[in-house]
């Protein structure tokens, strides 16, 4: 039986994250909404959000019937300041969303400790941070669930689109039922338009053209000729029709292509690591041999080279 792009992409993501179950949606915010609905909080329950976030995040919280409460950020990282958590009346809140802003991981050990001591579920906003790690562990694998954005301007893009990663099997089962009963399929018209947009994006967007193309795209979207990020209803605070929609197959195919790029980068950075290690060791053995040296070990030097290769890969991804 042929495997759909949607389930192939889910499988690749689940292997990449090494834990949890993936669901593919029209946008990242829709993942937050679905996860909150499945958690089944009472209407009006308060939920903590970072003081610096995207406006569609509190909107999703409101659409799920909950009340956002904000917690201040650390101006050095733009992430929730763990010191501020001690000021929160934990009995008043049902869950906390932490956002790994601009790819910088939050201080997860302190956040997870605080949440565990109060029995509060942690939700990770990984919309900027696909592939970021905190102390070696991938962002998105700490909390009950995580949501990721595949918007055009994100480091990992599926041409709009959202990923929901659920790290709690009973919750994943409830989400699966909720989506089966409520999520709309993208439909042929939307899928064709998305496919055309992905193609146009690939052909036209380059670092030199990105700003002009994006402002043209916004104008086309305003007159209703393209599928954009937020409708006028949503910007007014109303839940738009078709909000809870699944990812289209063409977006999942784009996601698979993006994953292949990431795999290639990992392979390239591993090869670079081996070459640098061998080269550095050979240098010390043959060129400096016997002349007594102190300082950097081969591992430290090659580690730095590998780090550079990784940050180059990341900025290359971000520039697209
Ligand atoms: C921090 C953050 N969270 C959530 C979102 C929402 O992502 P999406 O547009 O895929 O719903 C964004 C999008 O810009 C974002 O920057």
């Amino acid at each position: 039986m042929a495997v759909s792009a949607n389930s192939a992409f889910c499988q690749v993501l689940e292997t990449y994250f090494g834990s949890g179950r993936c669901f593919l949606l029209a946008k990242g915010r829709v993942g937050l909404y679905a996860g909150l609905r499945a958690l089944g909080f009472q209407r009006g329950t308060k939920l903590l959000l970072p003081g610096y976030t995207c406006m569609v995040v509190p909107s999703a919280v409101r659409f799920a019937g909950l009340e956002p409460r904000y917690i201040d950020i650390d101006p050095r990282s733009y992430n929730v300041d763990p010191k501020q958590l001690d000021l929160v009346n934990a009995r008043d809140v049902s869950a906390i969303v932490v956002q790994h802003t601009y790819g910088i991981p939050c201080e997860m050990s302190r956040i997870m400790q605080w949440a565990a001591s109060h029995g509060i579920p942690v939700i990770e906003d990984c919309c900027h941070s696909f592939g970021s790690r905190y102390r070696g562990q991938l962002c998105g694998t700490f909390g009950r669930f995580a949501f990721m954005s595949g918007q055009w301007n994100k480091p990992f893009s599926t041409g709009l689109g959202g990923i929901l990663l659920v790290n709690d099997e009973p919750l994943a089962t409830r989400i699966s039922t909720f989506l089966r009963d409520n999520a709309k399929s993208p439909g042929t018209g939307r899928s064709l338009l998305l496919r055309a947009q992905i193609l146009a994006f690939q052909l036209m967007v380059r670092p030199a053209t990105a700003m002009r193309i994006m402002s043209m795209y916004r104008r086309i979207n305003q007159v209703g000729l393209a599928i954009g990020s937020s409708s006028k209803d949503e910007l007014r605070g109303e839940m738009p029709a078709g909000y809870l929609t699944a990812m289209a197959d063409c977006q999942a195919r784009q996601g698979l292509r993006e994953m292949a790029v990431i795999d290639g980068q990992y392979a390239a950075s591993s090869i670079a690591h081996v070459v640098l290690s061998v080269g550095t060791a050979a240098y010390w053995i043959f060129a400096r041999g016997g002349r007594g040296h102190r300082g950097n070990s081969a591992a430290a030097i090659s580690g730095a080279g590998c780090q550079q290769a990784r940050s180059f890969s990341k900025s290359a991804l971000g520039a697209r």
Side-chain angles (χ1 to χ4, degrees):
M1 199 176 74
V3 179
S4 71
N6 213 296
S7 52
F9 186 32
C10 271
Q11 272 172 26
V12 169
L13 287 167
E14 284 164 10
T15 308
Y16 176 74
F17 285 104
S19 75
R21 253 212 281 165
C22 276
F23 300 90
L24 303 177
L25 297 154
K27 289 166 195 168
R29 69 198 84 169
V30 182
L32 172 62
Y33 171 80
L36 290 177
R37 288 291 306 269
L39 277 172
F41 295 127
Q42 267 190 346
R43 284 191 82 76
T45 307
K46 295 177 186 100
L47 186 121
L48 280 179
L49 291 182
Y52 178 58
T53 187
C54 176
M55 67 152 289
V56 301
V57 172
S59 298
V61 171
R62 282 241 148 97
F63 298 157
L66 309 176
E67 272 302 308
R69 283 287 177 275
Y70 295 94
I71 180 159
D72 213 349
I73 57 158
D74 180 338
R76 289 165 307 173
S77 65
Y78 302 100
N79 290 335
V80 161
D81 181 352
K83 289 197 292 296
Q84 299 285 329
L85 292 171
D86 297 330
L87 309 176
V88 171
N89 180 359
R91 265 175 301 177
D92 234 23
V93 292
S94 54
I96 179 171
V97 175
V98 295
Q99 171 187 306
H100 307 290
T101 310
Y102 305 138
I104 304 167
C106 295
E107 281 190 48
M108 290 313 285
S109 58
R110 288 173 72 184
I111 291 168
M112 294 308 286
Q113 243 170 32
W114 175 84
S117 68
H118 297 289
I120 290 177
V122 173
I123 299 163
E124 293 177 76
D125 179 339
C126 297
C127 288
H128 297 176
S129 58
F130 192 105
S132 291
R133 287 172 190 265
Y134 174 79
R135 297 187 180 168
Q137 185 177 337
L138 277 167
C139 291
T141 60
F142 291 87
R144 287 284 278 285
F145 73 84
F147 59 102
M148 299 161 210
S149 173
Q151 267 230 49
W152 309 104
N153 57 1
K154 298 294 186 287
F156 183 93
S157 177
T158 49
L160 299 175
I163 298 164
L164 171 60
L165 175 68
V166 187
N167 300 312
D168 164 336
E169 190 44 43
L171 180 63
T173 307
R174 289 206 295 279
I175 289 176
S176 173
T177 311
F178 174 74
L179 291 176
R180 186 200 61 206
D181 296 345
N182 298 285
K184 276 179 56 172
S185 129
T188 314
R190 182 182 165 90
S191 296
L192 283 174
L193 196 47
L194 281 168
R195 189 185 278 198
Q197 288 181 197
I198 291 171
L199 192 65
F201 188 85
Q202 281 169 343
L203 291 175
M204 294 195 285
V205 176
R206 297 285 175 273
T209 59
M211 295 312 287
R212 258 171 297 146
I213 301 283
M214 289 323 264
S215 80
M216 206 163 79
Y217 166 59
R218 270 186 214 110
R219 260 177 277 139
I220 297 174
N221 180 34
Q222 272 160 13
V223 292
L225 293 175
I227 299 173
S229 169
S230 303
S231 68
K232 283 187 188 143
D233 292 348
E234 193 169 358
L235 296 175
R236 277 196 301 265
E238 293 158 23
M239 187 165 164
Y243 185 77
L244 187 56
T245 296
M247 184 182 273
D249 239 35
C250 60
Q251 293 172 296
R253 272 198 296 280
Q254 179 61 16
L256 284 166
R257 285 192 283 269
E258 291 278 279
M259 289 307 288
V261 172
I262 288 182
D263 281 349
Q265 284 170 350
Y266 274 122
S269 91
S270 305
I271 291 168
H273 184 85
V274 170
V275 169
L276 279 164
S277 300
V278 171
T280 314
Y283 172 76
W284 285 113
I285 291 165
F286 297 112
R288 305 288 309 264
R291 270 185 274 141
H293 65 273
R294 284 189 202 93
N296 290 332
S297 69
I301 294 170
S302 59
C306 193
Q307 196 66 35
Q308 264 185 349
R310 276 207 199 97
S311 59
F312 172 75
S313 310
K314 276 204 162 174
S315 59
L317 250 188
R320 276 182 311 137

